[in-house]
Amino acid sequence: MAALTAGALVLGTGCSAGGETGTAGTASTPPAPHTASVPPPSPTASPRTPPAKGSVKVVSTLTGGLDSPWGLAALPGGDLLVSSRDKGTITRIDGESGKKTLLGSVPGVAPAGEGGLLGIAVAPTYGADHLVYAYFTTESDNRIARMQYDEDGTTPGQLLGAPDTILRGIPKGSIHNGGRIAFGPDRMLYAGTGETGDTGLARDKESLAGKILRMSPDGQPVHGNPSADSVVYSSGHRNVQGLAWDGEARLWASEFGQDTWDELNRIVPDGDYGWPRAEGKSGKKGFVDPVAQWKTSQASPSGIAFARGSVWVAGLRGKRLWRIPLSGGEREPFAAPQAFLEGQYGRLRTVLAAGGDKLWLVTSNTDTRGTPKPGDDRILLLTVR
């Protein structure tokens, strides 16, 4: 960890800077998967032990002119769906031309502060049911709903069916709403939530705030959860912002810290990640320590992805893309985190694996905290090593 600390950058201060800071922690291996996720982890495409030093090249700008983009999901065939936090809309982006097609607005979204239309995910069964999932803030709570996308429809803006809410009652706040959702290798739906600024909720097992949740596609608790009647999978989180699985189907999560450390955690069932009693690596008994951590002036870690043997972390206040190489052993990473694109594209919100050595990267300069430039916000295509 000495190497990690030496390689760490500094982000902005926690709540005093609008709540966008974070650290990361480790977790043990989740239950063994029995099927592939969407997209499936690909151990053969990503080396077990990547080089200690990597590289990033910006290949192209797929599209620009996006308003407060937040969630990103890939459709079969390579096109993308992107959510707008403040407009409450979902837009399809052609993966080759960058052409934008508005699917529609998600009813009930009530944008305010860090809340709004946040993470989106495509069902593993999308080829049969065309279901798109969304995590969003309403007037009363955060919730997860699914909608059917009418790909044969001809009227832009009217291509989403009525939302079917699968989980409601996730506490909301002006800050720390979490919002990232993703289907895992086990084809279950995972969601990262925030503690809304009420620190006591993070370790309260009866609350859905400050947790990572695991549920069936219908929003029900599933086998392998710590409690058979609960969707709570891990606790003690301040504000989970990114979820991704590596080539060995282990779950990783990024998390905003407060004033000291942002975190990258490896998630284990029933793991307690310590907030508010621990921020960053504490060594305290009963808490899971981060695998990597950054001073809060260097990261504000948001979306994460796994590609080429490394976890890639998009930084908001840090305005950079972090690479954390993994070794496949119990003590990871095996080399210091490495930063790329520092300050070149402003705030970075979401990163998504695009197969092989490619990543999609979404900027976040129109979210009221950035300084937009002409063309913002945009989706970039990267090649990485």
Side-chain angles (χ1 to χ4, degrees):
M1 291 304 295
L4 294 178
T5 304
L9 295 181
V10 179
L11 276 179
T13 56
C15 292
S16 62
E20 287 195 344
T21 55
T23 50
T26 55
S28 59
T29 309
H34 55 76
T35 185
S37 64
V38 178
S42 180
T44 57
S46 300
R48 180 176 176 83
T49 302
K53 297 293 184 179
S55 64
V56 171
K57 178 182 179 181
V58 178
V59 177
S60 63
T61 298
L62 176 64
T63 194
L66 300 173
D67 187 304
S68 59
W70 209 100
L72 189 70
L75 290 169
D79 287 358
L80 302 172
L81 298 181
V82 61
S83 63
S84 168
R85 185 193 70 182
D86 297 341
K87 285 190 172 182
T89 57
I90 298 177
T91 299
R92 180 170 182 156
I93 311 294
D94 187 288
E96 296 290 338
S97 69
K99 178 185 176 182
K100 292 178 277 191
T101 301
L102 178 66
L103 271 61
S105 298
V106 178
V109 175
E114 294 177 5
L117 179 55
L118 303 173
I120 54 176
V122 172
T125 52
Y126 181 84
D129 56 31
H130 286 190
L131 288 177
V132 175
Y133 287 70
Y135 181 116
F136 56 95
T137 312
T138 72
E139 293 290 353
S140 60
D141 63 0
N142 287 300
R143 62 184 59 178
I144 301 172
R146 57 188 178 185
M147 298 152 285
Q148 191 169 56
Y149 168 26
D150 180 8
E151 286 200 15
D152 296 325
T154 58
T155 306
Q158 299 181 28
L159 303 177
L160 290 176
D164 170 25
T165 299
I166 65 166
L167 184 68
R168 66 182 73 235
I170 304 170
K172 61 167 283 188
S174 60
I175 58 173
H176 305 176
N177 288 289
R180 196 70 61 180
I181 57 174
F183 281 94
D186 55 3
R187 300 172 73 89
M188 297 298 109
L189 181 64
Y190 292 72
T193 72
E195 34 79 302
T196 74
D198 183 347
T199 60
L201 296 179
R203 300 183 67 235
D204 178 356
K205 296 294 183 67
E206 300 302 315
S207 174
L208 298 179
K211 308 293 188 298
I212 290 176
L213 311 177
R214 176 176 179 260
M215 68 200 80
S216 72
D218 297 324
Q220 299 301 309
V222 291
H223 178 72
N225 282 6
S227 297
D229 61 349
S230 174
V231 296
V232 172
Y233 193 65
S234 64
S235 61
H237 298 288
R238 185 171 182 265
N239 192 14
V240 176
Q241 290 286 290
L243 299 170
W245 287 262
D246 64 20
E248 298 180 25
R250 295 169 299 186
L251 175 58
W252 299 81
S254 61
E255 185 170 340
F256 289 168
Q258 184 170 337
D259 299 317
T260 309
W261 297 112
D262 288 331
E263 300 176 357
L264 176 67
N265 290 286
R266 189 153 70 89
I267 303 302
V268 290
D270 208 26
D272 184 339
Y273 291 80
W275 180 255
R277 293 180 56 192
E279 181 182 355
K281 186 179 180 182
S282 69
K284 294 180 179 179
K285 185 177 180 179
F287 296 154
V288 183
D289 276 345
V291 165
Q293 59 185 24
W294 296 265
K295 291 186 178 179
T296 57
S297 57
Q298 294 178 341
S300 221
S302 189
I304 66 175
F306 177 77
R308 305 302 294 169
S310 297
V311 174
W312 300 84
V313 181
L316 289 164
R317 294 202 61 179
K319 299 179 181 179
R320 65 199 78 178
L321 179 69
W322 283 102
R323 173 187 184 264
I324 301 93
L326 307 180
S327 67
E330 284 302 312
R331 296 297 300 172
E332 291 136 319
F334 76 98
Q338 190 178 4
F340 296 94
L341 307 179
E342 185 174 350
Q344 295 182 37
Y345 295 94
R347 293 160 58 84
L348 306 179
R349 171 70 67 179
T350 297
V351 61
L352 180 69
D357 64 350
K358 292 181 172 56
L359 293 175
W360 296 113
L361 181 64
V362 183
T363 67
S364 188
N365 298 308
T366 60
D367 65 349
T368 74
R369 290 179 178 168
T371 303
K373 295 180 180 179
D376 279 338
D377 272 307
R378 59 196 79 200
I379 299 176
L380 307 173
L381 177 63
L382 315 179
T383 56
V384 300
R385 181 178 71 88

mmCIF file of all heavy atoms in Angstrom, residues 190-206:
data_model
loop_
_atom_site.group_PDB
_atom_site.id
_atom_site.type_symbol
_atom_site.label_atom_id
_atom_site.label_comp_id
_atom_site.label_asym_id
_atom_site.label_seq_id
_atom_site.Cartn_x
_atom_site.Cartn_y
_atom_site.Cartn_z
ATOM 1 N N TYR A 190 -27.019 -5.280 -9.636
ATOM 2 C CA TYR A 190 -26.336 -4.651 -8.511
ATOM 3 C C TYR A 190 -26.542 -3.132 -8.587
ATOM 4 O O TYR A 190 -26.593 -2.561 -9.686
ATOM 5 C CB TYR A 190 -24.849 -4.962 -8.539
ATOM 6 C CG TYR A 190 -24.502 -6.414 -8.282
ATOM 7 C CD1 TYR A 190 -24.756 -7.392 -9.236
ATOM 8 C CD2 TYR A 190 -23.893 -6.808 -7.093
ATOM 9 C CE1 TYR A 190 -24.444 -8.729 -9.015
ATOM 10 C CE2 TYR A 190 -23.562 -8.141 -6.858
ATOM 11 C CZ TYR A 190 -23.843 -9.095 -7.826
ATOM 12 O OH TYR A 190 -23.513 -10.414 -7.603
ATOM 13 N N ALA A 191 -26.627 -2.495 -7.424
ATOM 14 C CA ALA A 191 -26.810 -1.049 -7.366
ATOM 15 C C ALA A 191 -25.969 -0.467 -6.237
ATOM 16 O O ALA A 191 -25.917 -1.032 -5.141
ATOM 17 C CB ALA A 191 -28.287 -0.697 -7.136
ATOM 18 N N GLY A 192 -25.318 0.650 -6.514
ATOM 19 C CA GLY A 192 -24.571 1.366 -5.485
ATOM 20 C C GLY A 192 -25.376 2.551 -5.002
ATOM 21 O O GLY A 192 -25.892 3.337 -5.806
ATOM 22 N N THR A 193 -25.522 2.685 -3.685
ATOM 23 C CA THR A 193 -26.298 3.787 -3.127
ATOM 24 C C THR A 193 -25.413 4.677 -2.246
ATOM 25 O O THR A 193 -24.296 4.301 -1.885
ATOM 26 C CB THR A 193 -27.491 3.276 -2.298
ATOM 27 O OG1 THR A 193 -27.020 2.718 -1.061
ATOM 28 C CG2 THR A 193 -28.275 2.219 -3.061
ATOM 29 N N GLY A 194 -25.912 5.849 -1.905
ATOM 30 C CA GLY A 194 -25.213 6.765 -1.012
ATOM 31 C C GLY A 194 -25.979 6.931 0.287
ATOM 32 O O GLY A 194 -27.153 6.560 0.379
ATOM 33 N N GLU A 195 -25.302 7.518 1.281
ATOM 34 C CA GLU A 195 -25.967 7.671 2.587
ATOM 35 C C GLU A 195 -26.667 9.016 2.737
ATOM 36 O O GLU A 195 -27.096 9.374 3.836
ATOM 37 C CB GLU A 195 -24.984 7.436 3.752
ATOM 38 C CG GLU A 195 -23.558 7.877 3.535
ATOM 39 C CD GLU A 195 -23.344 9.362 3.697
ATOM 40 O OE1 GLU A 195 -24.000 10.159 2.990
ATOM 41 O OE2 GLU A 195 -22.476 9.733 4.497
ATOM 42 N N THR A 196 -26.800 9.770 1.650
ATOM 43 C CA THR A 196 -27.584 11.011 1.576
ATOM 44 C C THR A 196 -27.069 12.116 2.486
ATOM 45 O O THR A 196 -27.762 13.110 2.703
ATOM 46 C CB THR A 196 -29.073 10.768 1.895
ATOM 47 O OG1 THR A 196 -29.245 10.541 3.310
ATOM 48 C CG2 THR A 196 -29.615 9.573 1.128
ATOM 49 N N GLY A 197 -25.867 11.945 3.035
ATOM 50 C CA GLY A 197 -25.352 12.905 4.008
ATOM 51 C C GLY A 197 -25.685 12.554 5.437
ATOM 52 O O GLY A 197 -25.179 13.178 6.367
ATOM 53 N N ASP A 198 -26.530 11.554 5.634
ATOM 54 C CA ASP A 198 -26.867 11.050 6.967
ATOM 55 C C ASP A 198 -25.954 9.862 7.247
ATOM 56 O O ASP A 198 -26.240 8.726 6.872
ATOM 57 C CB ASP A 198 -28.331 10.615 7.009
ATOM 58 C CG ASP A 198 -28.780 10.141 8.389
ATOM 59 O OD1 ASP A 198 -27.914 9.917 9.261
ATOM 60 O OD2 ASP A 198 -30.001 9.988 8.581
ATOM 61 N N THR A 199 -24.824 10.108 7.917
ATOM 62 C CA THR A 199 -23.785 9.083 8.045
ATOM 63 C C THR A 199 -24.257 7.836 8.780
ATOM 64 O O THR A 199 -23.743 6.742 8.545
ATOM 65 C CB THR A 199 -22.550 9.656 8.757
ATOM 66 O OG1 THR A 199 -22.932 10.115 10.070
ATOM 67 C CG2 THR A 199 -21.969 10.819 7.965
ATOM 68 N N GLY A 200 -25.243 7.977 9.652
ATOM 69 C CA GLY A 200 -25.709 6.835 10.417
ATOM 70 C C GLY A 200 -26.380 5.764 9.582
ATOM 71 O O GLY A 200 -26.499 4.609 10.013
ATOM 72 N N LEU A 201 -26.804 6.108 8.364
ATOM 73 C CA LEU A 201 -27.499 5.138 7.527
ATOM 74 C C LEU A 201 -26.555 4.120 6.892
ATOM 75 O O LEU A 201 -26.976 3.029 6.513
ATOM 76 C CB LEU A 201 -28.280 5.858 6.419
ATOM 77 C CG LEU A 201 -29.409 6.782 6.858
ATOM 78 C CD1 LEU A 201 -30.061 7.431 5.644
ATOM 79 C CD2 LEU A 201 -30.446 6.015 7.685
ATOM 80 N N ALA A 202 -25.270 4.481 6.769
ATOM 81 C CA ALA A 202 -24.342 3.643 6.016
ATOM 82 C C ALA A 202 -24.187 2.246 6.615
ATOM 83 O O ALA A 202 -24.073 1.259 5.887
ATOM 84 C CB ALA A 202 -22.980 4.329 5.917
ATOM 85 N N ARG A 203 -24.179 2.133 7.947
ATOM 86 C CA ARG A 203 -23.974 0.836 8.593
ATOM 87 C C ARG A 203 -25.263 0.273 9.181
ATOM 88 O O ARG A 203 -25.235 -0.737 9.875
ATOM 89 C CB ARG A 203 -22.889 0.963 9.664
ATOM 90 C CG ARG A 203 -21.552 1.424 9.086
ATOM 91 C CD ARG A 203 -20.440 1.488 10.106
ATOM 92 N NE ARG A 203 -20.098 0.151 10.580
ATOM 93 C CZ ARG A 203 -20.097 -0.209 11.852
ATOM 94 N NH1 ARG A 203 -20.457 0.655 12.794
ATOM 95 N NH2 ARG A 203 -19.754 -1.431 12.203
ATOM 96 N N ASP A 204 -26.379 0.929 8.896
ATOM 97 C CA ASP A 204 -27.686 0.470 9.348
ATOM 98 C C ASP A 204 -28.203 -0.569 8.356
ATOM 99 O O ASP A 204 -28.598 -0.237 7.230
ATOM 100 C CB ASP A 204 -28.647 1.651 9.436
ATOM 101 C CG ASP A 204 -30.055 1.257 9.867
ATOM 102 O OD1 ASP A 204 -30.321 0.043 10.032
ATOM 103 O OD2 ASP A 204 -30.895 2.159 10.019
ATOM 104 N N LYS A 205 -28.200 -1.837 8.726
ATOM 105 C CA LYS A 205 -28.578 -2.901 7.812
ATOM 106 C C LYS A 205 -30.055 -2.835 7.415
ATOM 107 O O LYS A 205 -30.464 -3.487 6.449
ATOM 108 C CB LYS A 205 -28.276 -4.268 8.446
ATOM 109 C CG LYS A 205 -26.792 -4.528 8.692
ATOM 110 C CD LYS A 205 -26.015 -4.628 7.395
ATOM 111 C CE LYS A 205 -24.548 -4.961 7.638
ATOM 112 N NZ LYS A 205 -24.332 -6.310 8.188
ATOM 113 N N GLU A 206 -30.854 -2.072 8.141
ATOM 114 C CA GLU A 206 -32.271 -1.939 7.804
ATOM 115 C C GLU A 206 -32.505 -0.856 6.756
ATOM 116 O O GLU A 206 -33.620 -0.735 6.233
ATOM 117 C CB GLU A 206 -33.088 -1.626 9.063
ATOM 118 C CG GLU A 206 -32.993 -2.675 10.146
ATOM 119 C CD GLU A 206 -33.433 -4.046 9.659
ATOM 120 O OE1 GLU A 206 -34.487 -4.120 8.974
ATOM 121 O OE2 GLU A 206 -32.722 -5.038 9.921
#
